[in-house]
DNA sequence: CTGGATCCTAGGAGATACTG
DNA sequence: CAGTATCTCCTAGGATCCAG
């Protein structure tokens, strides 16, 4: 049962779900992620990426060029998180619809 | 894609996952939940229960007795969240094993 | 027994400035 | 471009006291 706690811990943070979702099927550069998550600050983005990396769900590849280029992608373990995200998305879709209906009926 | 955000919002909070998991297959009393979640304060528990109720994933039934008796259970919508929790548990189990192996290999 | 009402604190997240 | 280093701010959550 504590297994849920571990998953929760990996995903704890305001942006991690979206970062993982954005990396779902391809590699992305730091600046792409930043642009995708409009509103996130550099500090927060770096933090979240570091934590995800330490938890072993994403990997970081640095190209020693000028200017620097860093790419992020999911690891094997990260891929195993996708079913969780997909379930969340499925629930969310229904949830939104029901909420909108409820609002409409007021 | 914002669907994930809605689900995240419903589940945001330190204890909600466990409350839902505890209600998974039966109705529970307030005092049972409090005992199950050792360490939670009354204030927090009440807050989390209220939020879950407002999001429509649990329902609250009050028995007008002395002393009072209140039971919580999942709603239809709450039941739809279970697949998410099960996926999280499945991932967590693997995650723990891999982490322990990694610790062991140090 | 179940919770309402306050007060308070810790830590996550944002803003800003700076750098290899 | 992709970060570090501070600083501040906010709010979820805990502690405590009170009540039907």
């Amino acid at each position: 049962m504590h297994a849920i706690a571990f998953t929760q811990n990996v995903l704890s943070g305001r942006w991690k779900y979206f970062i993982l979702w954005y990396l779902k099927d391809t590699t992305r550069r730091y600046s792409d992620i930043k642009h995708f998550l409009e509103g996130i600050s550099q500090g927060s983005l770096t933090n979240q990426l570091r934590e995800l990396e330490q938890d072993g769900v994403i990997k970081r590849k640095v190209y020693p060029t000028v200017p620097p280029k860093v790419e992020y992608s999911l690891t094997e373990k990260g891929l195993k998180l996708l079913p969780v995200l997909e379930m969340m998305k499925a629930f969310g879709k229904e949830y939104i619809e029901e909420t909108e209906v409820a609002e409409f009926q007021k």
Side-chain angles (χ1 to χ4, degrees), chain A:
Chain A
M1 124 89 193
H2 292 298
I4 292 180
F6 275 84
T7 310
Q8 181 182 18
N9 196 263
V10 173
L11 294 174
S12 74
R14 182 171 165 189
W15 305 96
K16 289 184 183 170
Y17 295 87
F18 306 114
I19 294 172
L20 293 173
W21 189 255
Y22 189 54
L23 296 178
K24 182 163 61 81
D25 33 34
T26 184
T27 287
R28 306 281 192 176
R29 296 188 60 173
Y30 181 92
S31 52
D32 292 333
I33 301 173
K34 178 144 176 28
H35 181 257
F36 176 67
L37 304 173
E38 27 183 334
I40 194 173
S41 64
Q42 289 180 339
S44 296
L45 179 53
T46 300
N47 274 337
Q48 309 261 310
L49 288 170
R50 288 287 175 283
E51 290 181 19
L52 287 170
E53 193 188 355
Q54 282 176 16
D55 283 328
V57 294
I58 68 173
K59 57 174 171 283
R60 180 169 176 268
K61 180 165 187 182
V62 183
Y63 296 85
T65 58
V66 177
K69 176 179 170 185
V70 181
E71 285 182 347
Y72 293 90
S73 58
L74 296 183
T75 61
E76 288 292 312
K77 194 187 286 185
L79 289 171
K80 292 178 188 159
L81 265 175
L82 292 181
V84 176
L85 298 177
E86 269 150 26
M87 287 273 102
M88 291 183 70
K89 188 183 174 190
F91 174 81
K93 277 188 65 171
E94 282 197 63
Y95 177 82
I96 292 169
E97 284 168 15
E98 290 182 26
T99 302
E100 283 173 351
V101 169
E103 292 294 322
F104 179 74
Q105 288 173 343
K106 270 183 185 172

